[in-house]
């Protein structure tokens, strides 16, 4: 299978906003859109996106995971970027109809169909650095993806960065292109200098998240993760994992955690750390790098609780375990 996110279905769903109206959505070739080089998004980064998945079940049905949550976040991102207000029902219909069209192309587990709704400001005006785009394009791309852990889940090396920030603080809960651009330089520098896979941004010691995933700490029967605030992206996977942890009888603590506590707890053999996000579900963290010192997390290997939480979420997504929270939508 091609590298994650490089293969696309031939058509995408597209709607455009102008004169205070969304056009009727249509299916068009997914390899081109037409836009003026002065388009708002190309200069002032009026862009946001979502990432969710559709899963193929043994009974032949195709099921989308927690689409309502992604639509709420898409609406929030668009609003906070002063993009035109999205019509959630329209976007839901666009997603469902497109996935239906490519039902036969949804990979079997452990693969899935990754769904990428995207919203960009298109007004051709380079004079609007401090004004919103009054026109936009909203499209939905489909990308079949394989087993994220095909090469084995090697625990990650994570740099704890107490000085840098992932993005401007008021942009934290927007899934927007500019935030990844903001984090890219520091991440490349961390790869280069200490062979870190990711940076865990911890401004002033406050453990937040990595460039594109939330962070959770597991200490025995307790799951600890930062409580929701405006500084970081509210992951659907984070919420799902916390819900599953509660279902399994674990204690879930949503609260601030500082670097000192993180390093302190990491010494214990039954402590695990993981990154959560739609693409990889839960990825184990084996090493923290802090002030040029390496700290092994627990045993340094993928922890049993991490693997169990990931398996449980996968089993629900793949229809192998009861969907007691009604997370799946059959298309
Ligand atoms: C997408 C993303 C996440 C994970 O969100 P999910 O809904 O779980 O996929 C976490 N942090 C950032 C910065 C993200 O962009």
């Amino acid at each position: 299978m091609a590298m994650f996110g490089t293969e696309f279905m031939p058509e995408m769903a597209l709607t455009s906003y102008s004169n205070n109206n969304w056009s009727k959505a249509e299916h068009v070739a997914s390899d081109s859109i037409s836009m003026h080089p002065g388009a708002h998004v190309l200069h002032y980064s009026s862009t946001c996106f979502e990432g969710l998945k559709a899963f193929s079940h043994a009974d032949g049905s195709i099921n989308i995971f927690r689409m309502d949550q992604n639509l709420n976040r898409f609406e929030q991102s668009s609003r906070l970027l002063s993009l035109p207000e999205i019509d959630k029902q329209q976007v839901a219909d666009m997603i469902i109809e497109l996935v239906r069209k490519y039902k036969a192309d949804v990979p079997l587990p452990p693969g899935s169909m990754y769904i990428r709704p995207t919203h960009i400001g298109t007004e051709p005006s380079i004079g609007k650095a401090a004004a919103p785009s009054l026109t936009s394009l909203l499209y939905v791309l489909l990308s079949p993806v394989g087993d994220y852990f095909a090469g084995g889940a090697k625990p990650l090396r994570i740099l704890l960065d107490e000085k840098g920030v992932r993005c401007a603080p008021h942009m934290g809960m927007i899934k927007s292109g500019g935030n990844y651009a903001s984090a890219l330089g520091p991440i490349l520098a961390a790869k280069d200098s200490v062979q870190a896979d990711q940076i865990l941004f911890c401004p002033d010691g406050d453990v937040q998240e990595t460039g594109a995933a939330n962070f959770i700490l597991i200490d025995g029967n307790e799951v600890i993760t930062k409580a929701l605030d405006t500084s970081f992206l509210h992951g659907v996977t984070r919420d799902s994992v916390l819900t599953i942890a509660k279902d399994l009888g674990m204690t879930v603590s949503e609260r601030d955690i500082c670097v000192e506590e993180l390093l302190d707890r990491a010494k214990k053999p039954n402590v695990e750390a993981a990154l959560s996000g739609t693409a990889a579900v839960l990825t184990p963290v084996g090493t923290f790098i802090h002030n040029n010192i390496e700290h092994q997390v627990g045993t340094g290997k993928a922890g049993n609780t991490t693997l169990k939480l990931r398996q449980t979420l996968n089993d629900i997504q793949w229809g192998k375990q009861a969907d007691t929270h009604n997370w799946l939508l059959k298309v």
Side-chain angles (χ1 to χ4, degrees):
M1 174 93 50
M3 201 178 146
F4 182 91
T6 57
E7 197 183 330
F8 297 97
M9 290 295 106
E11 291 189 342
M12 62 178 172
L14 175 77
T15 178
S16 60
Y17 188 88
S18 61
N19 301 318
N20 305 310
N21 255 312
W22 287 104
S23 67
K24 190 172 177 304
E26 33 176 8
H27 288 177
V28 300
S30 64
D31 64 351
S32 62
I33 47 175
S34 172
M35 154 167 78
H36 193 283
H40 197 269
V41 60
L42 301 176
H43 302 262
Y44 308 123
S45 295
S46 45
T47 170
C48 59
F49 66 90
E50 272 307 322
L52 63 163
K53 282 175 169 173
F55 298 91
S56 178
H57 287 188
D59 65 3
S61 66
I62 302 298
N63 302 263
I64 304 179
F65 187 72
R66 303 196 74 177
M67 180 173 71
D68 54 329
Q69 298 296 307
N70 292 90
L71 289 173
N72 287 342
R73 194 169 66 189
F74 201 33
E75 178 181 56
Q76 175 176 278
S77 292
S78 297
R79 216 175 256 164
L80 292 171
L81 287 167
S82 306
L83 275 162
E85 183 85 13
I86 68 164
D87 175 345
K88 282 196 287 186
Q89 189 55 54
Q90 180 188 33
V91 182
D93 292 341
M94 286 166 71
I95 292 171
I96 290 168
E97 274 164 37
L98 192 69
V99 171
R100 266 191 199 138
K101 182 171 196 163
Y102 290 108
K103 246 180 161 167
D105 296 289
V106 178
L108 297 173
S112 58
M113 186 67 88
Y114 185 84
I115 305 166
R116 173 55 67 93
T118 309
H119 190 190
I120 56 176
T122 51
E123 189 174 345
S125 169
I126 55 172
K128 285 198 140 185
S133 174
L134 298 180
T135 62
S136 68
L137 276 182
L138 191 162
Y139 52 84
V140 179
L141 287 166
L142 295 185
S143 174
V145 295
D147 183 2
Y148 202 88
F149 294 106
K154 194 161 163 272
L156 301 177
R157 290 167 57 79
I158 301 287
L159 174 68
L160 307 181
D161 183 345
E162 296 187 67
K163 297 203 183 72
V165 288
R166 181 178 72 90
C167 62
H170 65 288
M171 299 287 284
M173 56 180 188
I174 314 178
K175 209 167 174 71
S176 179
N179 289 348
Y180 306 89
S182 157
L184 183 59
I187 292 169
L188 294 182
K191 282 187 191 200
D192 196 46
S193 61
V194 292
Q195 290 74 55
D197 298 298
Q198 296 285 342
I199 295 178
L200 180 55
F201 291 95
C202 313
D204 297 320
D206 175 39
V207 177
Q208 292 183 337
E209 63 171 330
T210 64
N214 295 127
F215 176 79
I216 69 166
L217 188 72
I218 298 165
D219 187 342
N221 199 45
E222 185 181 12
V223 181
I224 309 167
T225 194
K226 187 171 172 62
L228 296 180
D229 64 19
T230 57
S231 71
F232 72 104
L233 208 279
H234 303 173
V236 178
T237 314
R238 172 192 175 281
D239 184 77
S240 306
V241 165
L242 296 186
T243 303
I244 288 169
K246 281 179 206 155
D247 289 350
L248 293 174
M250 297 183 74
T251 304
V252 171
S253 305
E254 295 185 69
R255 60 166 172 84
D256 284 347
I257 171 161
C258 66
V259 168
E260 199 184 341
E261 179 183 351
L262 198 61
L263 294 176
D264 212 37
R265 285 188 189 257
K267 294 184 193 125
K268 297 164 71 178
N270 63 343
V271 162
E272 306 172 19
L275 302 185
S276 83
T278 294
V281 183
L282 269 185
T283 313
V285 174
T287 309
F288 294 137
I289 305 158
H290 182 246
N291 294 337
N292 283 314
I293 298 172
E294 303 206 359
H295 303 259
Q296 180 174 299
V297 182
T299 63
K301 304 203 170 65
N304 288 332
T305 306
T306 302
L307 296 179
K308 182 168 156 197
L309 289 168
R310 185 169 87 198
Q311 190 64 50
T312 306
L313 180 50
N314 276 336
D315 284 348
I316 294 169
Q317 292 174 326
W318 297 340
K320 292 176 183 170
Q321 187 169 318
D323 173 26
T324 54
H325 298 285
N326 282 314
W327 284 340
L328 294 170
L329 173 73
K330 220 178 271 282
V331 299

